[in-house]
Amino acid sequence: MSKIVMKFGGTSVADTDRILHVANIIKKKIDQNHKVAVVVSAMAGVTNDLIQKSKKISDDFPNDEYDALLSSGEQVTSTLLAGALQKLGIKARSWLGWQIPIVTEGDYKNSKIISVNSKVLNESMDQGIVPIIPGFQGLSEENRITTIGRGGSDASAVAIAKCLEADFCEIYTDVEGVYTTNPAIEPKAKKIEKISYEEMLEMATLGAKVMQSYSVQKAMINDVEIYVKSTFSNNSGTHIAAEDKISYDKVITGVAYSSDDAKVTLQGVKDKPGVASAIFKPLYENNIVVDMIVQNISADNQKTDITFTIKRDDLKKTKSVMDQLKNELEYDHLLTDDKVSKVSIVGAGMITHPGVAYKMFNALSSKKINIQVISTSEIKISVLVDEKNTKEAVQVIHNAFGLDK
Ligand code: ASP
Ligand code: MG
């Protein structure tokens, strides 16, 4: 008998038929004598709808009411699923975030879970009553409803698994698991059987949409083992676990990409101490996350160029921040490009294999794809390319590393 947290995403509970189907998946686990707690997302599209509604009321909709509004999507699915289980003869009840409570800290819209009162959930399970918990919701110390960021019910499930000391957490979704790359752009992509937290974190951060990256980080810190699997098949899915539980037969594990980046270049910046700090301080103060950074070597020790990337949504703000720096920094030109995408390879296997960067760059060169910026970490290499080359770049790299085999 294991203790399991089962989490179902928005497409898995998209309508009442699917909720009835999910109830059957849970019943199977119960029939095998496992102890189960369930976490649900809102029905697919519902959270977006609620956001649209708040915008119709006001461009400046109050944050506290926004969270109370958005959390309602998960409340609906948790009650419907509890009802569906009871229909199958399984005892179940919904436990809203504030009833448990799941306590959060930090700002509305993006709160962080700091504790889950596992006692009530354990008692419920001990009595044979399956707790159905809405993901995404929390309660602040001020007794207000909070939400924990878009896609946050993954993180809810991980936090609950940790507090319940569950054996593992299952993330049920609409794909078979984590793939070597997005099968929509490379049909030869293969499902990954096992991946480390670190690799999964890179994949999720770099654009793989299967799991929210913050939730992977939480799982890694707390060593919560995860199985990502499909609600719509019986296949085994992807196991996310600590690196020492994985044997690497491939140099790289996956290829990820994102198409929501923008590139900013300051041309002709004075080459003197303090310049980089003068540029990045106001970015930090404006909450703009900087990703890749390159500074050219100045030929004459006088002037240099600095390029960095940010999220496309932050481009307008970044431009105005850089304009304000014009007098102080006396740079020549500000260039921006929002038609770029970042393509990355991820794999713990690259630590022990030489020539990985060469292989990646060579693959891109064979398709005459120009690399604009490069950044690396121990287990990833990212390149910035023209957005129109994204698909071809992903395919040629995927092929070069034999990920289709
Ligand atoms: N319903 C929330 C969202 O759409 C949370 C989640 O589904 O994970 O972002
Ligand atoms: Mg989701």
Side-chain angles (χ1 to χ4, degrees), residues 6 14 41 68 81 130 138 153-154 156 159 162 189-190 203 223 236 252 266 268 280 289 327 336 394:
M6 303 171 80
S41 284
L81 183 54
V130 181
S153 44
D154 287 341
S156 303
K162 184 216 152 199
K190 288 256 176 322
M203 292 284 282
D223 206 4
S236 61
I252 73 162
L266 292 179
F280 291 102
V289 177
N327 285 337
T336 63
V394 169

Side-chain angles (χ1 to χ4, degrees), residues 90-91 158 244 255 262 265 369:
I90 306 279
K91 288 189 192 138
V158 170
D244 55 12
V255 183
T265 301
I369 296 171

